[in-house]
Amino acid sequence: LRLDAEPVGHMRYAAAARLLEEDRTGRLRSSFGVEIRNLTHPLVYGCLGVEVAVVTADGYLLLAHRGSLGSVYRGRIVVSIGEGLHPDLDRSDHEGDLIDPWKAVTRGALEELGLDVDGSGTRFLALGLETRLMDPDLLGYIQVPHTRKDVQAEFIAARARDRWETRTLSFVEFTPDAIAQLLAGETARHLTPPTAMNL
């Protein structure tokens, strides 16, 4: 699978999100030819990301609750690591012109959660597209060598550079029954689309 990418700054990302969120009639999309299988239009993010669920060493799924400062998904519950791939920061160490999504996971864990994690342990399961915001993501999960208490301690220590994006963390037992209850319960309506798909 070959994907061409370019860096998308936060302001462009936020502006595209705002325009697409407010295009309830679809008039903007149709007038600019925005289609689900075409992510090259300037209105569209065109920013491939990783959405990775973190499972702790003691068997808990980590969920992050977004604060009011983020440009998208304010107040929603997101899967643990959400990071846009960057052609420079995530360039492959072995093949110079390729982007390494596993490096993005390593970077995202540190920037968003304050965790030192080897992203190469990530298992990617799907390439998904959130069609309302035209946001493509590699969906997957990683089991980390940190317990729930370790993760909470690192988060409270505020090592994460992007700490402002997340208001609080919650944990759910990583069992089929607990995840099924999460997806079927009242909390499900607060999950972002990639989170529900990932789980």
Side-chain angles (χ1 to χ4, degrees):
L1 177 64
R2 178 176 173 83
L3 300 169
D4 294 315
E6 66 182 45
V8 175
H10 183 73
M11 295 302 285
R12 176 176 156 196
Y13 184 91
R18 180 87 182 260
L19 288 169
L20 289 168
E21 278 183 322
E22 293 178 356
D23 185 34
R24 296 196 183 1
T25 63
R27 187 178 310 153
L28 186 68
R29 291 167 185 261
S30 61
S31 63
F32 284 99
V34 175
E35 299 173 7
I36 288 175
R37 293 190 178 271
N38 178 12
L39 300 177
T40 60
H41 195 280
L43 177 65
V44 176
Y45 288 176
C47 181
L48 178 65
V50 293
E51 294 276 348
V52 176
V54 170
V55 179
T56 64
D58 51 348
Y60 286 89
L61 169 72
L62 167 63
L63 295 171
H65 299 249
R66 301 256 314 172
S68 60
L69 298 176
S71 57
V72 293
Y73 298 138
R74 291 184 187 103
R76 305 282 297 274
I77 300 171
V78 299
V79 74
S80 319
I81 299 170
E83 193 68 47
L85 297 180
H86 194 287
D88 298 323
L89 300 176
D90 301 321
R91 187 167 301 285
S92 172
D93 294 328
H94 310 293
E95 300 179 53
D97 63 336
L98 297 181
I99 298 172
D100 184 343
W102 292 273
K103 283 182 81 170
V105 176
T106 300
R107 183 169 57 84
L110 188 59
E111 290 181 2
E112 297 180 12
L113 302 170
L115 292 177
D116 285 316
V117 167
D118 180 1
S120 66
T122 304
R123 295 196 57 196
F124 289 110
L125 307 171
L127 172 61
L129 174 67
E130 204 275 61
T131 56
R132 186 173 59 98
L133 297 179
M134 299 295 287
D135 198 4
D137 287 305
L138 291 167
L139 307 175
Y141 72 97
I142 184 170
Q143 293 181 294
V144 298
H146 306 283
T147 65
R148 177 172 56 162
K149 285 186 178 179
D150 295 336
V151 172
Q152 286 173 320
E154 292 294 344
F155 186 73
I156 291 169
R159 287 179 59 212
R161 192 189 76 189
D162 294 341
R163 169 75 170 80
W164 56 272
E165 286 185 316
T166 300
R167 183 179 72 237
T168 187
L169 303 177
S170 63
F171 297 85
V172 177
E173 282 188 72
F174 193 60
T175 63
D177 286 346
I179 300 302
Q181 286 179 18
L182 173 70
L183 292 172
E186 178 65 21
T187 304
R189 66 188 185 93
H190 300 293
L191 299 176
T192 66
T195 299
M197 179 131 181
N198 200 321
L199 298 181

